Amino acid sequence: MVIGGAAEGEWVELTVSDSGPGIAPELHERIFEHSLSGQPPARPGSLGFGLWWVKAWMVRLGGSVAVESDGRHGATFRLRLPRAAEAP
């Protein structure tokens, strides 16, 4: 896993990349839905709504989240947040 970050203008962008099997392009928008899970729960009692939760918080904070993946060679998630104002 590789985690990166950068600030440009009014935005801060965080990236999280992995080298797993990837996410099929046709699922890129659907993976953020509350009820979608492409696999059985990782552990008993797991609700499987992690990405929905991430997107809900990013939107609530004025940001966004997106995924990039060819469906074969890992995935990169891009989280954008508005940059905080400088303290006086």
Side-chain angles (χ1 to χ4, degrees):
M1 182 176 299
V2 177
I3 299 172
E8 280 192 40
E10 300 295 317
W11 296 95
V12 173
E13 184 173 275
L14 302 171
T15 57
V16 179
S17 301
D18 68 30
S19 58
I23 299 167
E26 61 271 14
L27 294 176
H28 286 190
E29 290 302 317
R30 294 197 57 219
I31 61 171
F32 298 104
E33 293 175 9
H34 185 268
S35 60
L36 179 76
S37 179
Q39 301 177 15
R43 60 187 187 280
S46 174
L47 297 177
F49 67 99
L51 290 174
W52 171 83
W53 191 249
V54 169
K55 183 172 183 174
W57 274 103
M58 293 301 292
V59 170
R60 186 173 207 174
L61 295 170
S64 63
V65 61
V67 63
E68 298 170 3
S69 178
D70 65 4
R72 296 180 311 243
H73 304 100
T76 297
F77 287 86
R78 296 189 180 281
L79 297 92
R80 285 187 85 207
L81 289 165
R83 194 170 184 166
E86 298 278 332

